[in-house]
Amino acid sequence: MKKAIYGAAALAVVAALVTGLFLKDRLDRARAVSSLFTGAEQYQNFHRFQTVFPHGDMAASPEPFQFPDGTMVELPASFTYSGQTIDTETFLSETDTAALLVIQDGQLRFERYMLTGGRDIHWISMSVAKSFISALVGIAVSEGHIGSIEDEVTAYVPALIGSAYDGVRIKDILQMSSGARWNEDYSDPDSDIVRFAKIFALGGSLDEFAATLEREREPGTFNLYNSTDTHVLGMMLVSATGRSISQYMEEKLWQPMGAEAKGYWLLDGEGMEMAFGGMTATARDYAKIGELFRLNGALNGRQIVPAPWVAASVVPDAPHLLPGKDNPASDFELGYGYQWWIPEGDEGEYSAIGIYNQFVYVNPTSGTVIVKLSANSDYGTTDDESTYRELESIEFFRSVVERVR
């Protein structure tokens, strides 16, 4: 009898400990997410998200690719944005820059780490992850897992039948033109992206959330940035390949491009990768997706992403995708490709961009790739460029390009 009582007591203690740990994990997640877009400093958080959230792992490459050192270059002292001269060091400080890398013609020309950044430090990708998802879709098409991006996404994800995505072409989703109703205002507590983030913080199914979105416009007619579009692409990849995003990416992209460090994908409460922005990696490994695309999908001695896919990914091919302030069929002045942003200009630039100023910027004309990892604490406290500082960052990168030229 005493053994039974002691056994029951021990089970109760274990249950209490497990419950306490479970609640602590949820509390840590909730704290990390609830502090976003409030003006709170984030550099103490962004390097440790993989320790706070459940995650899938991607092993480092057995044949890591190292950027050789080139002649080091100094940053320009200042640059011009919107008619004003911006001091470079002030800009880097104000945007809480943690890592800045400049690769030119495949050689490392500049590398600096600040705050909690470091060469071996992982940093949350935010929406830079979207460009990795796009590359995976291109690989899956080339392998025959996906017949064509002209296919309807519901042919691969029948759970979305009856939602905004019912009958929508994969291509329209790649180009953020799904027609789904969406509000990505980070400063609005009732916006769709904030509701999305609550699942990120507290657990739950992002797949189920995606199925709740409703149609607002005809697909393929308006460029409206929507993080759920990328999650739907992730759902399609899992269904089409029969593997998790982490598993497929490790084999087809992460290791082939020569990742030096382990990579992580944060997971929702059902074990699904947060395809829209949940990857964490080191700055040098982020640089490899930029170099891979600059080299038309080839890196580390092999063709990894089909060259035609790379070419199509970084060129707006319809009026609603073109860059420009006055495009009536787009909600932002940067153009859009297959989950890549396209600035206005004649040098073929494109960039992966994540909130809080994460960038993998590519200028193919000059052979330049720039990575900027940041924790801009003002980001999203207003719904405009004054706190986003994304267009300003593009001008900074252009000034760096002129310096390395």
Side-chain angles (χ1 to χ4, degrees):
M1 185 63 161
K2 285 183 178 180
K3 287 183 179 180
I5 292 172
Y6 292 151
L11 286 173
V13 170
V14 170
L17 288 172
V18 170
T19 301
L21 290 172
F22 175 80
L23 292 175
K24 181 182 182 300
D25 287 346
R26 291 296 177 94
L27 184 60
D28 286 345
R29 290 169 62 175
R31 282 173 176 162
V33 175
S34 64
S35 69
L36 297 175
F37 317 121
T38 64
E41 295 291 352
Q42 297 296 335
Y43 64 85
Q44 306 97 329
N45 293 327
F46 285 3
H47 69 294
R48 64 182 192 93
F49 267 36
Q50 69 278 3
T51 70
V52 176
F53 294 86
H55 54 77
D57 297 354
M58 298 180 295
S61 174
E63 299 176 356
F65 172 75
Q66 305 276 355
F67 291 104
D69 289 337
T71 303
M72 292 295 120
V73 64
E74 293 185 2
L75 297 178
S78 63
F79 62 99
T80 301
Y81 171 68
S82 194
Q84 295 186 335
T85 299
I86 310 295
D87 179 77
T88 293
E89 293 301 325
T90 301
F91 168 74
L92 295 177
S93 176
E94 287 179 350
T95 56
D96 296 317
T97 306
L100 184 64
L101 269 65
V102 180
I103 313 291
Q104 202 251 339
D105 287 340
Q107 296 184 330
L108 186 68
R109 302 290 307 276
F110 183 88
E111 183 174 31
R112 184 197 294 180
Y113 298 100
M114 294 156 275
L115 301 174
T116 51
R119 177 170 175 176
D120 300 321
I121 297 297
H122 286 72
W123 202 262
I124 184 69
S125 67
M126 302 305 185
S127 291
V128 165
K130 292 177 167 70
S131 301
F132 284 86
I133 291 292
S134 170
L136 292 178
V137 173
I139 294 169
V141 170
S142 72
E143 292 186 331
H145 297 298
I146 298 167
S148 167
I149 60 172
E150 297 295 327
D151 292 348
E152 297 177 356
V153 74
T154 38
Y156 301 89
V157 192
L160 294 174
I161 293 174
S163 76
Y165 296 96
D166 195 349
V168 178
R169 290 189 311 169
I170 296 166
K171 184 177 182 180
D172 291 328
I173 300 170
L174 274 166
Q175 295 176 325
M176 290 291 180
S177 307
S178 67
R181 179 179 291 110
W182 184 257
N183 177 1
E184 190 132 352
D185 181 352
Y186 305 102
S187 62
D188 179 356
D190 298 318
S191 69
D192 296 303
I193 190 63
V194 172
R195 292 194 299 121
F196 203 42
K198 287 178 182 176
I199 298 173
F200 184 29
L202 302 175
S205 171
L206 293 169
D207 290 1
E208 291 179 5
F209 178 88
T212 68
L213 296 197
E214 299 177 349
R215 179 75 52 81
E216 182 177 33
R217 296 182 177 90
E218 181 67 21
T221 63
F222 192 91
N223 176 220
L224 177 67
Y225 190 74
N226 177 351
S227 285
T228 304
D229 282 5
T230 311
H231 189 77
V232 167
L233 296 176
M235 294 171 69
M236 178 188 66
L237 280 169
V238 171
S239 175
T241 66
R243 309 179 70 185
S244 72
I245 291 172
S246 302
Q247 291 168 340
Y248 191 63
M249 181 163 157
E250 178 186 83
E251 179 184 350
K252 303 297 182 179
L253 182 60
W254 192 248
Q255 291 194 350
M257 73 180 188
E260 299 175 43
K262 196 173 187 178
Y264 304 96
W265 272 101
L266 307 185
L267 305 175
D268 71 8
E270 302 298 319
M272 172 65 181
E273 284 86 353
M274 297 174 182
F276 62 94
M279 195 179 83
T280 78
T282 65
R284 286 193 176 208
D285 284 339
Y286 282 125
K288 285 165 189 162
I289 192 73
E291 185 71 354
L292 176 69
F293 269 62
R294 185 184 76 84
L295 297 174
N296 301 310
L299 190 66
N300 206 25
R302 60 195 292 185
Q303 189 74 39
I304 300 168
V305 181
W309 181 268
V310 172
S313 295
V314 297
V315 176
D317 67 357
H320 66 284
L321 302 170
L322 296 174
K325 291 181 180 180
D326 301 321
N327 188 340
S330 177
D331 76 330
F332 196 54
E333 65 181 86
L334 294 180
Y336 211 70
Y338 297 171
Q339 307 280 294
W340 287 89
W341 293 98
I342 320 295
E344 200 167 18
D346 57 5
E347 298 211 348
E349 305 155 280
Y350 49 93
S351 187
I353 303 178
I355 58 170
Y356 280 84
N357 300 148
Q358 324 312 325
F359 292 89
V360 179
Y361 164 89
V362 183
N363 181 306
T365 303
S366 66
T368 308
V369 174
I370 300 175
V371 173
K372 184 180 188 293
L373 304 179
S374 320
N376 174 9
S377 57
D378 289 334
Y379 192 97
T381 53
T382 65
D383 188 28
D384 58 38
E385 172 64 17
S386 67
T387 61
Y388 291 169
R389 304 186 77 165
E390 290 162 343
L391 302 177
E392 183 180 355
S393 295
I394 296 292
E395 292 305 321
F396 166 64
F397 300 146
R398 287 171 168 171
S399 72
V400 173
V401 166
E402 290 307 310
R403 176 57 60 91
V404 299
R405 257 201 252 263

